[in-house]
Amino acid sequence: MTSSDNSAAAPDADRATAGIVHIGIGAFHRAHQAVYTDVAMQAKGGNWRIIGVSLRSTDIVDALNAQDCAFTVIERHPDGPKALRITSLSKAIAASRDIVPVLDALTDPAIGIVTITVTEKAYGIDRVLGAVQAEHPAVKHDLANSTTPTGLLGILVAGLKRRQQAGIRPFTVVSCDNLPSNGVLLRKGVIDFAKRVDPDLAGWIADNVSFPSTMVDRITPAATARTFEDAKILTEIDDPAAIETEPFSQWVIEDDFPDGRPAWEEAGAILVHDVEPYELMKLRMLNGSHSLIAYLGQVGDYRYVRDAMANEAFSQLVAQHMKNAAATMAPLAGIDFSDYGAELVERFRNPEIAHETRQIAMDGTEKLPQRIFSPACDLPQESKMLGTFALCFAAWMAVMRQRVNTAQDGAVELLNDPRANEIMEALADSQDAAAIYEKLSGLKGWMPKQLLHSQFWREAVIERLSILMSDGADAAIRHEIDA
């Protein structure tokens, strides 16, 4: 993605009115879509500034609004940090304080696009059924209180209903989260939610609303004191909304925007007819490797990804996993999977990026199905390449066991997973590797039947879990490399 090296260069904050509402104004959005939109408007103009919505947090809303929503992005280059001042946000709204300003923004005819970056668990959509999870807390609340929603689906449907009633064209809805076929999934969830509150609205959405799929990629660690210090040094501005990220950025977008869009291609975005091949590449090679590093790193007390990758054996294992993941995919025009994997290894090794393994390890039951289970199902039943996938799953189990044993009273919070209560119950009396595998693999509706019924997979995971529990992460890594 193109960006300026000027440490405090900022475009004219008044150059455009808002055309986008973004739900989920965390660090990733500000390091990714907000930057692309900023560059696009500098290059081609357009009324595409962003109204940012935070579903839960109020601190980031207050910090942004106090400085006219301009903020600093610190890019962590190996030769030192560089700062960008981004002004593509026009204002920020805290939905938890008052939902009315959010719905008013969604009803504004000037808004043509709604983009989304929330955690996987915030969607409340069953991937298998393509329907809402009726017992999901936000979904349950919003189905009963459709005019005062608090969750993603409820807010989107309420905004679309207002536009339908007012005779205003719908906005295009763009998920920018790491979900397989995220546009397809979100479309199914929104329509199913709408059917439950207003069948006529559901039909209108199905006929008129576009849900393009996307693939996003930019490693964005949590901000630290160093982030704010560097922002002050490089821009001479005290910026509590400053964030940091890596130099690399990628955005692949299904080009389906009936009422226009920013010139994101000017910032390096790739506009395509089919996002899925790029999505699979990223989910299986980058995200899958990240999960492997995160869980093995937790077992081996590696705080940061860069620390794990400084261990040559660990780095070799990650490269091996990427090769195994690449074997599950069809060739992709213009992409060399070996080169892509080598580039990922170098990105993970970047000594300037402090990406915590604990941050990546959250929400494992949401992430493992597409990152680990799905590619494992695409390999031959007894392939040696299944080993690194089995090791990642075993490492997740070891981390869950470790956390439950460490903090029985606060384990739900420590597990940091939407199915934490089920995990705790499953592990209550399970201490040996075989028992842990049987309990956790049996979580309802989770692991694919192909793996659940595979004796080879079962034995592979239990063998690796046993090594992790008895000898630790480094021994398990060496065992996998030598297998």
Side-chain angles (χ1 to χ4, degrees):
M1 184 191 68
T2 52
S3 61
S4 170
D5 288 341
N6 295 331
S7 62
D12 180 0
D14 296 323
R15 68 191 182 281
T17 56
I20 299 172
V21 169
H22 181 83
I23 300 175
I25 52 172
F28 182 77
H29 165 68
R30 285 177 283 136
H32 194 272
Q33 298 94 36
V35 178
Y36 278 87
T37 302
D38 200 85
V39 175
M41 286 193 295
Q42 288 186 67
K44 295 293 185 180
N47 295 324
W48 293 113
R49 295 188 76 205
I50 302 165
I51 297 173
V53 175
S54 172
L55 292 180
R56 302 287 175 261
S57 173
T58 58
D59 290 346
I60 186 57
V61 169
D62 294 339
L64 286 167
N65 284 330
Q67 53 198 41
D68 295 324
C69 285
F71 61 93
T72 307
V73 174
I74 303 293
E75 291 184 348
R76 295 288 182 198
H77 294 259
D79 62 349
K82 295 178 174 62
L84 309 172
R85 285 292 287 177
I86 304 301
T87 61
S88 54
L89 268 68
S90 64
K91 67 178 176 179
I93 304 172
S96 59
R97 284 182 177 145
D98 187 358
I99 196 61
V100 172
V102 178
L103 298 180
D104 287 345
L106 293 175
T107 311
D108 184 346
I111 297 300
I113 298 172
V114 175
T115 54
I116 300 161
T117 51
V118 295
T119 60
E120 289 93 336
K121 60 189 173 187
Y123 281 76
I125 304 172
D126 186 305
R127 290 194 192 96
V128 176
L129 299 177
V132 300
Q133 297 169 329
E135 294 304 311
H136 182 282
V139 171
K140 187 174 184 178
H141 172 275
D142 292 353
L143 286 173
N145 304 273
S146 61
T147 60
T148 55
T150 61
L152 176 65
L153 295 180
I155 289 171
L156 290 173
V157 170
L160 287 166
K161 183 177 179 66
R162 280 186 166 206
R163 292 177 83 103
Q164 180 203 32
Q165 291 175 332
I168 302 169
R169 283 183 58 79
F171 43 70
T172 296
V173 187
V174 187
S175 170
C176 300
D177 284 303
N178 288 316
L179 297 166
S181 302
N182 52 20
V184 175
L185 181 72
L186 184 55
R187 182 180 190 275
K188 289 178 179 178
V190 167
I191 291 173
D192 184 55
F193 186 101
K195 282 180 180 177
R196 297 167 187 246
V197 296
D198 184 341
D200 178 64
L201 173 64
W204 182 80
I205 293 172
D207 291 340
N208 295 284
V209 182
S210 175
F211 293 83
S213 291
T214 69
M215 184 272 268
V216 297
D217 186 4
R218 195 170 208 189
I219 296 170
T220 307
T224 65
R226 184 186 173 201
T227 311
F228 306 123
E229 291 167 5
D230 285 346
K232 174 68 172 178
I233 292 168
L234 294 169
T235 68
E236 299 182 352
I237 298 171
D238 285 314
D239 186 354
I243 53 170
E244 64 175 73
T245 189
E246 65 172 332
F248 179 89
S249 184
Q250 188 174 50
W251 196 6
V252 183
I253 311 167
E254 180 185 356
D255 198 2
D256 184 14
F257 293 82
D259 292 313
R261 57 169 174 78
W264 285 317
E265 63 273 18
E266 293 292 328
I270 303 170
L271 281 299
V272 299
H273 292 297
D274 184 9
V275 171
E276 185 176 7
Y278 298 90
E279 174 189 272
L280 280 177
M281 178 183 72
K282 194 241 179 174
L283 280 170
R284 295 185 175 191
M285 294 184 70
L286 187 153
N287 298 125
S289 296
H290 251 172
S291 290
L292 179 64
I293 295 168
Y295 297 120
L296 274 178
Q298 292 283 289
V299 176
D301 293 324
Y302 292 94
R303 181 176 180 181
Y304 298 113
V305 171
R306 66 189 182 192
D307 299 335
M309 296 301 287
N311 177 327
E312 284 304 314
F314 209 139
S315 184
Q316 184 180 344
L317 174 73
V318 171
Q320 180 177 319
H321 180 72
M322 289 182 188
K323 183 178 180 180
N324 295 343
T328 70
M329 297 179 292
L332 181 57
I335 299 291
D336 184 309
F337 291 142
S338 296
D339 290 346
Y340 179 69
E343 182 180 37
L344 288 177
V345 168
E346 290 307 308
R347 289 170 61 194
F348 293 168
R349 282 178 171 164
N350 187 339
E352 294 300 310
I353 297 293
H355 202 183
E356 289 194 277
T357 55
R358 179 175 290 273
Q359 180 186 2
I360 302 166
M362 65 185 289
D363 299 338
T365 57
E366 291 286 331
K367 295 173 179 176
L368 288 177
Q370 63 265 27
R371 297 182 180 190
I372 300 300
F373 297 160
S374 182
C377 287
D378 287 341
L379 287 169
Q381 286 291 309
E382 298 188 6
S383 170
K384 179 181 176 181
M385 289 186 288
L386 279 167
T388 57
F389 296 95
L391 178 57
C392 182
F393 188 34
W396 174 79
M397 291 182 167
V399 170
M400 295 301 101
R401 175 72 271 173
Q402 186 181 72
R403 291 182 181 178
V404 168
N405 284 346
T406 299
Q408 282 287 350
D409 292 337
V412 169
E413 182 176 351
L414 189 62
L415 286 171
N416 204 350
D417 192 283
R419 300 183 71 168
N421 288 320
E422 295 174 69
I423 293 168
M424 283 186 62
E425 183 179 352
L427 292 177
D429 300 313
S430 305
Q431 295 293 337
D432 67 279
I436 291 170
Y437 174 84
E438 299 301 340
K439 292 289 187 178
L440 291 180
S441 65
L443 291 177
K444 185 178 179 181
W446 189 44
M447 201 165 76
K449 291 180 180 179
Q450 179 177 326
L451 297 180
L452 200 58
H453 297 157
S454 169
Q455 186 65 18
F456 181 85
W457 172 257
R458 177 184 180 278
E459 292 175 358
V461 176
I462 291 173
E463 177 189 15
R464 287 156 178 80
L465 180 56
S466 297
I467 296 171
L468 285 168
M469 293 173 65
S470 62
D471 301 323
D474 290 339
I477 290 168
R478 178 51 56 189
H479 173 269
E480 197 63 44
I481 291 172
D482 294 341

